[in-house]
Structure formats: structure tokens, C-alpha cells
Amino acid sequence: MAKADKSGAVAELKNEFEGSSAAVLTEYRGLTVAQLKELRVSLGGHAKFAVAKNTLTKIAANGAGITVLDDLFQGPTAIAFVKGDVVEAAKSLRDFAKANPLLVIKGGVVDGKSMSPTEITKLADLESREVLLAKLAGALKAKQSQAAATFAALPTQMARLAEALRAKREEAGE
């Protein structure tokens, strides 16, 4: 690779790191080109899967301010640059790794925080963003309904109390 090509590749990788909400490093040793294509399709619009030289990727990551990945650049390394939903991308990688044990998740970085392979797997176990938001909206609506029912019950209880007091006074002859 000529020096101009290397500097262009570093610049492109740096842009990917800077424009991504997460990056997951994987080892792809033993996977065929067809399997890598299948992985790229399974990632869909959530992530871009790229194979690059470790030294160039390390230089690009450091240039983007990401130094927590330096220890992971050993052996054949590919990077999934996540641009969409991080959870969905993690699920796609986890599911593909289960079906193809040759894909090994080495670790990654999400919003500048280093993530181990087990943390990425835990992230993949989360429900999607839409489901979590729907659950939150349902919980908030339930709380509002409970508050409305409580406020509506207060006048009713007051009326019942006043009626009981009136009936008691009537019985006592007051």
C-alpha cells in the first residue's frame, strides 16, 4: 500500500469512528467472503462492517480520540461502525456469532466508553429502543391514570362522608 493510500484509509477510518455512536471489534478468522457478506446484510442500516489493517485502524482510532481499543488490535480484526440503533447492531452481531462461531466479538466502544464482549452481549439482550420507549410511555400513562382516579375519588368520598354525617345527625335528632 502506498503512503497516499494509507493516509486516505486512515482518514476514512477516522471519519467512521467520529461519525459512529459505537464501534465493535471482531475477529473474523476463518469466515468466508459469503459469510462476511451475510453479516453485512444482517447488520442492515444499523452498522457498517469493515475489514482494515490493525495499524491503520489503531492510528485512525487514536486520531478520533479513542484509545481504549488499543489492546484489541491483534490478529485479523474487523470493525462494525454503528450508526443506527446500538442494541439492534449488537443483536445482529451476537446472533451471527452464535450461528458462525468463527466470528468472535473482541470488545468495543459505545459513546466513548469501553465495552467488553460480555457487556456487548448484555447490550444485545436489551429490548429495542422502540419497545423500551413504549414501556416507559405505558408506565407514565398508568401513573397519570392512577393520579386522576385518586383525584376523582376525593370529592366522591367527601360527599359520602357528608351524607353519612347528615344521616347520623338526623338519627340523633339534631
Side-chain angles (χ1 to χ4, degrees):
M1 214 178 212
K3 186 169 175 108
D5 292 340
K6 287 181 183 179
S7 62
V10 168
E12 185 179 332
L13 287 169
K14 181 181 175 195
N15 287 339
E16 289 291 340
F17 274 113
E18 290 173 342
S20 301
S21 57
V24 180
L25 273 65
T26 62
E27 182 174 326
Y28 64 95
R29 186 184 325 229
L31 291 175
T32 64
V33 172
Q35 288 171 321
L36 290 175
K37 183 178 179 183
E38 181 185 333
L39 174 58
R40 286 184 174 102
V41 169
S42 73
L43 287 170
H46 299 292
K48 177 183 174 188
F49 193 75
V51 176
K53 292 183 176 266
N54 286 340
T55 53
L56 299 180
T57 307
K58 187 174 180 179
I59 293 168
N62 289 336
I66 301 170
T67 58
V68 295
L69 300 176
D70 288 352
D71 297 338
L72 302 178
F73 292 115
Q74 298 171 2
T77 304
I79 309 105
F81 294 105
V82 181
K83 302 229 188 276
D85 189 1
V86 176
V87 173
E88 289 299 320
K91 282 181 184 184
S92 297
L93 286 168
R94 178 201 58 197
D95 294 344
F96 189 85
K98 281 183 182 178
N100 300 285
L102 293 175
L103 182 77
V104 177
I105 297 174
K106 292 180 173 185
V109 61
V110 176
D111 294 327
K113 181 188 177 288
S114 177
M115 306 264 312
S116 70
T118 55
E119 289 173 322
I120 292 171
T121 303
K122 286 180 185 176
L123 188 65
D125 292 338
L126 288 176
E127 293 173 338
S128 70
R129 182 177 189 271
E130 290 78 20
V131 171
L132 292 174
L133 287 174
K135 284 184 176 184
L136 177 64
L140 290 175
K141 185 177 178 185
K143 290 294 180 189
Q144 288 176 343
S145 297
Q146 287 174 346
T150 301
F151 292 135
L154 287 175
T156 306
Q157 287 176 347
M158 189 63 146
R160 286 185 190 151
L161 180 64
E163 180 59 29
L165 186 59
R166 186 195 60 77
K168 187 175 182 180
R169 285 187 176 173
E170 223 175 68
E171 285 177 15
E174 291 181 18

